[in-house]
């Protein structure tokens, strides 16, 4: 199973380099799920949602909080999240999805904060994709 996931990730990496994701953006809805929202602009509803953080007690290794990723590449990043959802569907359950998608969102946020002046869609997508590889052996 791990080899299937790895080969799917490799294929996804090739799609990113070839910019194949551009062919799928028309039908992509911005991501919203597992306490992660991806948007082009921060709206009032999302702002209220992020400010209404509740305390969660969990056995997860990382602390999960609501995450909002604001980027002009919201559709492209959402496309990647949907692709990773398909690839990891057999590994993610109703508890682990918060850690999985939260860490992907955090990697996007970290990339965007470090590259404010030179934001690059391929680098953003590859940073998130590389983060997903940490979950292959979990």
């Amino acid at each position: 199973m791990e080899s299937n996931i790895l080969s799917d990730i490799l294929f996804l990496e090739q799609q990113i380099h070839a910019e194949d994701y551009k062919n799928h953006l028309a039908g992509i809805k911005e991501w919203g799920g597992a306490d992660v929202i991806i948007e082009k602009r921060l709206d009032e509803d999302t702002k209220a949602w992020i400010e209404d953080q509740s305390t969660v007690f969990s056995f997860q290794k990382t602390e999960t909080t609501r995450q909002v990723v604001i980027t002009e590449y919201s559709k492209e990043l959402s496309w990647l999240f949907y692709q990773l959802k398909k690839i990891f569907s057999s590994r993610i359950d109703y508890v682990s999805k918060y850690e999985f998608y939260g860490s992907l969102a955090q990697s996007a946020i970290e990339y965007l904060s470090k590259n404010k002046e030179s934001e690059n869609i391929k680098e953003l997508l590859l940073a998130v994709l590389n983060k997903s590889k940490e979950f292959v052996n979990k």
Side-chain angles (χ1 to χ4, degrees):
M1 180 191 310
E2 288 175 11
S3 63
N4 289 343
I5 291 175
L6 286 173
S7 63
D8 288 344
I9 289 173
L10 180 60
F11 179 70
L12 198 50
E13 187 172 0
Q14 292 169 347
Q15 286 183 295
I16 291 169
H17 284 293
E19 299 182 356
D20 288 345
Y21 55 85
K22 290 180 178 181
N23 300 325
H24 305 282
L25 297 181
I28 293 293
K29 180 181 172 194
E30 289 178 321
W31 177 269
D35 281 349
V36 172
I37 292 177
I38 301 171
E39 292 180 332
K40 191 168 280 208
R41 288 173 193 76
L42 184 62
D43 63 28
E44 290 302 316
D45 289 340
T46 304
K47 198 176 199 180
W49 176 79
I50 197 73
E51 290 172 355
D52 187 29
Q53 295 275 355
S54 49
T55 303
V56 177
F57 296 98
S58 169
F59 294 107
Q60 291 175 215
K61 295 177 183 172
T62 59
E63 180 182 340
T64 58
T65 59
R66 292 178 176 177
Q67 306 265 8
V68 177
V69 183
I70 304 298
T71 176
E72 66 178 282
Y73 301 117
S74 61
K75 291 258 188 176
E76 293 88 341
L77 186 57
S78 294
W79 168 83
L80 179 58
F81 269 59
Y82 289 116
Q83 298 305 307
L84 291 171
K85 179 181 179 180
K86 289 178 198 171
I87 292 171
F88 284 91
S89 64
S90 65
R91 295 276 184 102
I92 299 169
D93 61 23
Y94 68 97
V95 175
S96 63
K97 69 181 182 179
Y98 297 101
E99 182 176 6
F100 180 71
Y101 295 111
S103 68
L104 297 180
Q106 187 59 43
S107 68
I109 291 167
E110 288 171 4
Y111 170 83
L112 292 168
S113 69
K114 289 177 185 171
N115 298 283
K116 288 179 183 173
E117 303 301 318
S118 61
E119 193 174 314
N120 178 298
I121 184 56
K122 282 186 189 179
E123 289 178 9
L124 170 62
L125 296 178
L126 291 171
V128 174
L129 184 65
N130 286 333
K131 185 66 175 180
S132 75
K133 293 175 184 178
E134 294 177 13
F135 289 85
V136 172
N137 295 319
K138 283 190 176 186

